[in-house]
Every structure is written in structure tokens, then in C-alpha cells.
Amino acid sequence: GFFEELFKLEDLYLSNEELYIPASKLIFSAFMDIAHHKETDVRSTDRSLAYKVRVLLYRSITSRITIDDIAKKLFRSKNDIIRQFKKQYNTTPHNYLLDLRIAKAKNLLVNSKNTVVEIANYLCFSSEFHFSNTFKKKVGVSPSEFRREMT
């Protein structure tokens, strides 16, 4: 289970700093699973396309996924997915995923010593420049400025 995986991580790494990203990913996944199960119970009759897309996006914060991947997985068109998602959540799947990744980045910037490059790579941004640009557009300051202000 979750704790066994966490203890395995401790055995693999010598320094606490090396534990931040793998442990953070594991803990975040556990919370997402809990949230998913809770929402599944509450909305068990509502298995809408938008909801399925949202679950896939939550699970893809640290992996590369495209709207084409989602469309193939759900046997729907890209346009149908985008339209249904936007209708349900008032944003596009792409923007929703960016928001999830930026929220995760904020957490990592405050609670880890990982570099901006490491965080950008972990969250599947194409480059540090793309990550920093996106972060600044959404948060108002660069990742480095955010870290300085919050620590």
C-alpha cells in the first residue's frame, strides 16, 4: 500500500532532498485517489464525459497527455471532449491541466529544494522557459520570485 511505497522510497535515497519529488508524487497520488473515490461515491450515477476527462487530467499531472490521447481513450472526438468539458467546468481541459500543474508547482516551490528546472521537468513542461512563462501568466510572478516571497 501507500506506506510501504513511502518506506521503499526512504531506502532508495540517501538525502532528504532526493526524497521530495518521488515522495511528493506518491502523496499527491494518494490524495487524488481519495478525492476520486469520494467523488465517485457522491456522483456514482453521473459518469459524464467531462467528469471522466477530469479524472484523467488529475492522473496526468506528472505525465505527458494530450487531448488526442484522451479522445482515443474515451472513444470520442477532440471537439466533443473540449465542448463537454468547457460546458461542465467553464475551462478547457488544457487550461485545467495547467492549473493543476501550477498548483502542484507552488507546493513544490515552497516545500522542496528542487530547482525550477527539476520542477518543470517533473510536471512535464516542455522547457524551463515554458514553465516559467506559464507560471508567471497564472500567478503574476516568476517561480523564483514566488519561492522567495513564500519562504
Side-chain angles (χ1 to χ4, degrees), residues 3 6 8 11 13 32 40 42 59 62 98 101 112 123 135-136 138:
F3 289 104
L6 203 54
K8 282 181 195 174
D11 293 338
Y13 296 96
M32 289 297 105
T40 301
V42 172
R59 293 180 179 167
T62 60
L98 283 179
R101 286 179 173 160
S112 80
L123 296 173
F135 191 94
K136 189 166 186 171
K138 294 206 172 266

Short mmCIF file of all heavy atoms in Angstrom, two decimals, residues 3 6 8 11 13 32 40 42 59 62 98 101 112 123 135-136 138:
data_model
loop_
_atom_site.label_atom_id
_atom_site.label_comp_id
_atom_site.label_asym_id
_atom_site.label_seq_id
_atom_site.Cartn_x
_atom_site.Cartn_y
_atom_site.Cartn_z
N PHE A 3 1.92 3.29 2.42
CA PHE A 3 3.02 3.43 3.36
C PHE A 3 4.21 2.55 2.99
O PHE A 3 5.37 2.95 3.16
CB PHE A 3 2.56 3.15 4.79
CG PHE A 3 1.67 4.23 5.33
CD1 PHE A 3 0.30 4.04 5.42
CD2 PHE A 3 2.19 5.47 5.68
CE1 PHE A 3 -0.52 5.06 5.88
CE2 PHE A 3 1.38 6.48 6.14
CZ PHE A 3 0.02 6.28 6.24
N LEU A 6 6.09 4.42 0.40
CA LEU A 6 6.80 5.54 1.00
C LEU A 6 8.06 5.07 1.71
O LEU A 6 9.12 5.69 1.57
CB LEU A 6 5.87 6.28 1.98
CG LEU A 6 6.18 7.72 2.31
CD1 LEU A 6 6.31 8.58 1.06
CD2 LEU A 6 5.11 8.30 3.21
N LYS A 8 9.73 2.36 0.99
CA LYS A 8 10.67 1.92 -0.05
C LYS A 8 11.47 3.11 -0.57
O LYS A 8 12.65 3.00 -0.84
CB LYS A 8 9.92 1.26 -1.21
CG LYS A 8 9.48 -0.14 -0.95
CD LYS A 8 8.77 -0.69 -2.18
CE LYS A 8 7.99 -1.94 -1.86
NZ LYS A 8 7.20 -2.40 -3.00
N ASP A 11 14.37 3.96 1.61
CA ASP A 11 15.51 3.05 1.45
C ASP A 11 16.32 3.35 0.20
O ASP A 11 17.51 3.06 0.15
CB ASP A 11 15.02 1.60 1.39
CG ASP A 11 14.42 1.14 2.71
OD1 ASP A 11 14.73 1.74 3.75
OD2 ASP A 11 13.64 0.17 2.69
N TYR A 13 16.95 6.37 -1.28
CA TYR A 13 17.66 7.65 -1.34
C TYR A 13 18.44 7.92 -0.06
O TYR A 13 18.02 7.56 1.04
CB TYR A 13 16.65 8.78 -1.57
CG TYR A 13 15.97 8.67 -2.89
CD1 TYR A 13 14.72 8.05 -2.98
CD2 TYR A 13 16.56 9.15 -4.05
CE1 TYR A 13 14.09 7.93 -4.20
CE2 TYR A 13 15.92 9.02 -5.28
CZ TYR A 13 14.68 8.40 -5.34
OH TYR A 13 14.05 8.28 -6.54
N MET A 32 -5.22 12.29 -4.50
CA MET A 32 -6.07 12.30 -5.69
C MET A 32 -6.97 11.06 -5.72
O MET A 32 -8.14 11.13 -6.08
CB MET A 32 -5.24 12.38 -6.97
CG MET A 32 -4.58 13.71 -7.21
SD MET A 32 -5.76 15.07 -7.42
CE MET A 32 -5.64 15.90 -5.86
N THR A 40 -16.51 9.71 -6.63
CA THR A 40 -17.16 8.59 -7.30
C THR A 40 -18.37 8.15 -6.48
O THR A 40 -19.43 7.88 -7.04
CB THR A 40 -16.18 7.41 -7.47
OG1 THR A 40 -15.08 7.86 -8.24
CG2 THR A 40 -16.84 6.25 -8.17
N VAL A 42 -20.14 10.02 -4.37
CA VAL A 42 -21.14 11.07 -4.42
C VAL A 42 -21.83 11.13 -5.77
O VAL A 42 -23.03 11.33 -5.86
CB VAL A 42 -20.50 12.43 -4.07
CG1 VAL A 42 -21.45 13.58 -4.31
CG2 VAL A 42 -20.01 12.43 -2.65
N ARG A 59 -4.90 12.46 -13.01
CA ARG A 59 -3.91 11.38 -13.01
C ARG A 59 -2.71 11.68 -13.90
O ARG A 59 -1.75 10.92 -13.90
CB ARG A 59 -4.57 10.08 -13.47
CG ARG A 59 -5.58 9.57 -12.47
CD ARG A 59 -6.22 8.31 -12.93
NE ARG A 59 -7.17 7.83 -11.95
CZ ARG A 59 -8.03 6.88 -12.18
NH1 ARG A 59 -8.09 6.29 -13.35
NH2 ARG A 59 -8.88 6.51 -11.24
N THR A 62 1.76 14.60 -13.70
CA THR A 62 3.20 14.38 -13.85
C THR A 62 3.52 13.46 -15.03
O THR A 62 4.57 12.82 -15.04
CB THR A 62 3.78 13.80 -12.55
OG1 THR A 62 3.13 12.56 -12.27
CG2 THR A 62 3.65 14.77 -11.40
N LEU A 98 -3.14 22.72 -16.86
CA LEU A 98 -2.13 23.72 -16.50
C LEU A 98 -2.37 24.25 -15.08
O LEU A 98 -1.41 24.40 -14.32
CB LEU A 98 -2.15 24.89 -17.48
CG LEU A 98 -1.49 24.66 -18.83
CD1 LEU A 98 -1.63 25.91 -19.70
CD2 LEU A 98 -0.04 24.25 -18.69
N ARG A 101 -1.17 21.68 -12.63
CA ARG A 101 0.30 21.65 -12.59
C ARG A 101 0.88 22.87 -11.88
O ARG A 101 1.85 22.75 -11.14
CB ARG A 101 0.85 21.52 -14.01
CG ARG A 101 0.65 20.12 -14.57
CD ARG A 101 1.15 19.98 -15.97
NE ARG A 101 1.07 18.58 -16.39
CZ ARG A 101 1.09 18.18 -17.64
NH1 ARG A 101 1.21 19.05 -18.62
NH2 ARG A 101 1.00 16.90 -17.91
N SER A 112 9.96 22.20 -1.17
CA SER A 112 11.10 21.38 -1.58
C SER A 112 12.25 22.29 -1.96
O SER A 112 12.09 23.50 -2.09
CB SER A 112 10.73 20.48 -2.76
OG SER A 112 10.76 21.20 -3.98
N LEU A 123 6.81 18.16 -13.89
CA LEU A 123 5.43 18.47 -14.26
C LEU A 123 5.21 18.48 -15.77
O LEU A 123 4.17 18.94 -16.24
CB LEU A 123 5.02 19.82 -13.63
CG LEU A 123 5.00 19.81 -12.11
CD1 LEU A 123 4.75 21.21 -11.57
CD2 LEU A 123 3.97 18.83 -11.57
N PHE A 135 3.81 29.92 -15.51
CA PHE A 135 3.69 30.22 -14.08
C PHE A 135 3.45 31.71 -13.88
O PHE A 135 2.54 32.11 -13.14
CB PHE A 135 4.94 29.76 -13.34
CG PHE A 135 4.81 29.77 -11.84
CD1 PHE A 135 4.43 28.63 -11.16
CD2 PHE A 135 5.05 30.92 -11.10
CE1 PHE A 135 4.29 28.63 -9.78
CE2 PHE A 135 4.91 30.94 -9.72
CZ PHE A 135 4.54 29.78 -9.06
N LYS A 136 4.25 32.53 -14.54
CA LYS A 136 4.14 33.98 -14.36
C LYS A 136 2.79 34.49 -14.87
O LYS A 136 2.17 35.36 -14.23
CB LYS A 136 5.28 34.71 -15.08
CG LYS A 136 5.31 36.18 -14.74
CD LYS A 136 6.59 36.84 -15.17
CE LYS A 136 6.60 38.27 -14.65
NZ LYS A 136 7.87 38.91 -14.84
N LYS A 138 -0.04 32.86 -14.87
CA LYS A 138 -1.11 32.40 -13.99
C LYS A 138 -0.99 32.94 -12.57
O LYS A 138 -2.00 33.14 -11.90
CB LYS A 138 -1.18 30.88 -13.99
CG LYS A 138 -1.59 30.32 -15.35
CD LYS A 138 -2.24 29.00 -15.21
CE LYS A 138 -2.83 28.53 -16.51
NZ LYS A 138 -4.23 28.87 -16.67
#
